[in-house]
């Protein structure tokens, strides 16, 4: 994992997601790219002088130049945390579109989670997960604890999405002292697909782990059980597949993914 991309919503100070990405880049000796976006103002009907004057009166000031001026401060700060290299990008684009483009040459995308983000809805975040085809690490924007990667939880159900998430998370899991695999896989389920043995895979990468079988008969939802178990082992990271599908122009996340995005209080690596 050599190239990490993070979306910045501020340039006066660094949000929890930007801080997390920078500290992770330092731990991995990776390069860090931060992108700050100012969406373009909607076009005004040509020749409508009154509308143009009204727009100028209510339009927010252009912060592009101020944002660009933050580059030296960002570079110095990220270098102090150990990042191998850093880039501070400023663009006048919709942030979702910018992230989709930049994700093509990055190994990990770090996003802020919560209502006060440009994607603030499950559908918008699902679109990023599906369209980028990249692992996305969602950091709660109200998280103010110090960076820590001692214990991780993997939500495992035997799906290809979950396998892809584990594969992408290996550099992060290797930093942990212990990984807990919460397994909801049905052992008797027949399949013609090649079987992914998660225990063998983690052993092959030298990652200490413990498998915890989830109770299929529990009254709580799968999302609630995952959160309870993650809290019980004091997890610093949660890894899971994100299940998305397209219905006309709507992007939909599975119920467990939606629950986790809404209620999870630790950084969560998701992969579609």
């Amino acid at each position: 994992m050599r190239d990490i991309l993070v979306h910045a919503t501020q340039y006066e100070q660094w949000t929890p997601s930007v801080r997390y990405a920078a500290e992770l880049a330092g731990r991995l000796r990776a390069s860090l790219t931060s992108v700050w976006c100012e969406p373009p103002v909607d076009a005004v009907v040509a020749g409508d002088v009154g509308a143009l004057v009204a727009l100028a009166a209510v339009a927010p000031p252009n912060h592009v130049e101020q944002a660009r001026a933050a580059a030296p401060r960002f570079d110095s700060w990220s270098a102090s945390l150990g990042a191998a290299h850093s880039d501070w990008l400023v663009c006048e684009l919709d942030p979702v579109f910018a992230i989709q483009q930049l994700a093509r040459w990055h190994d990990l995308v770090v996003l802020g989670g919560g209502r006060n983000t440009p994607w603030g809805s499950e559908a918008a975040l699902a679109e990023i997960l599906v369209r980028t085809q990249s692992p996305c690490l969602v950091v709660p924007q109200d998280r103010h604890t110090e960076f820590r990667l001692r214990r991780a939880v993997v939500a495992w159900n035997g799906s290809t999405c979950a396998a892809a998430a584990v594969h992408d998370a290996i550099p992060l899991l290797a930093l942990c002292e212990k990984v807990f695999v919460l397994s909801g896989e049905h052992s008797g389920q027949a399949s013609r697909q090649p079987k992914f043995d998660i225990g063998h895979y983690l052993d092959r990468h030298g990652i200490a782990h413990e498998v915890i079988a989830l109770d299929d008969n529990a009254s709580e939802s799968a999302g609630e059980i995952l959160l309870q178990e993650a809290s019980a082992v004091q997890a610093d990271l949660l890894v899971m597949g994100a299940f998305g599908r397209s219905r006309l122009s709507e992007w939909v996340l599975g119920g467990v993914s939606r629950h986790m995005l809404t209620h999870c209080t630790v950084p969560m690596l998701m992969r579609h």
Side-chain angles (χ1 to χ4, degrees):
M1 189 172 286
R2 304 304 304 164
D3 293 285
I4 297 174
L5 171 67
V6 62
H7 173 248
T9 56
Q10 300 179 27
Y11 52 82
E12 301 94 343
Q13 58 184 356
W14 315 125
T15 59
S17 55
V18 174
R19 292 199 301 269
Y20 190 95
E23 296 206 49
L24 180 60
R27 292 286 298 274
L28 296 172
R29 292 297 298 162
S31 295
L32 177 66
T33 301
S34 182
V35 59
W36 180 93
C37 301
E38 176 148 290
V41 177
D42 292 337
V44 181
V45 178
D48 190 343
V49 178
L52 189 60
V53 171
L55 178 63
V58 299
N62 188 302
H63 297 290
V64 172
E65 292 306 318
Q66 294 97 313
R68 288 197 177 108
R73 183 162 52 88
F74 175 78
D75 292 340
S76 175
W77 171 71
S78 55
S80 72
L81 295 175
H85 180 82
S86 64
D87 287 301
W88 173 263
L89 305 181
V90 174
C91 60
E92 295 181 79
L93 282 175
D94 178 89
V96 174
F97 179 77
I99 291 166
Q100 290 172 5
Q101 298 302 307
L102 290 167
R104 299 178 189 277
W105 59 88
H106 288 83
D107 303 313
L108 177 69
V109 179
V110 181
L111 304 170
R115 296 291 179 183
N116 298 321
T117 59
W119 32 89
S121 70
E122 299 153 1
L125 187 54
E127 184 176 0
I128 295 176
L129 287 166
V130 173
R131 288 193 181 277
T132 62
Q133 293 294 302
S134 299
C136 293
L137 202 160
V138 182
V139 179
Q141 289 297 68
D142 57 356
R143 179 181 175 83
H144 298 290
T145 57
E146 65 179 10
F147 179 88
R148 187 175 60 191
L149 260 181
R150 292 203 298 256
R151 296 183 166 206
V153 162
V154 174
W156 179 249
N157 65 354
S159 69
T160 55
C161 283
V166 172
H167 171 267
D168 292 330
I170 285 295
L172 280 69
L173 298 179
L175 297 175
C176 298
E177 299 172 3
K178 186 72 173 287
V179 173
F180 298 88
V181 179
L182 305 183
S183 178
E185 183 179 19
H186 300 288
S187 57
Q189 186 175 2
S191 173
R192 296 183 180 180
Q193 300 290 336
K195 181 175 176 58
F196 180 88
D197 187 331
I198 187 170
H200 176 70
Y201 186 74
L202 294 176
D203 284 337
R204 193 169 73 181
H205 288 275
I207 295 173
H209 65 279
E210 176 184 340
V211 177
I212 301 174
L214 298 181
D215 184 4
D216 290 338
N217 299 316
S219 59
E220 299 94 337
S221 70
E224 291 173 337
I225 293 174
L226 288 176
L227 290 176
Q228 290 172 8
E229 294 291 345
S231 176
V233 301
Q234 298 180 318
D236 305 306
L237 174 71
L238 196 144
V239 177
M240 65 180 293
F243 309 96
R245 59 188 176 86
S246 175
R247 185 176 60 201
L248 298 178
S249 60
E250 180 183 6
W251 296 102
V252 182
L253 283 175
V256 176
S257 300
R258 290 199 306 272
H259 185 89
M260 299 303 289
L261 284 172
T262 302
H263 299 287
C264 193
T265 58
V266 300
M268 180 168 53
L269 189 147
M270 306 181 78
R271 180 68 150 89
H272 178 266

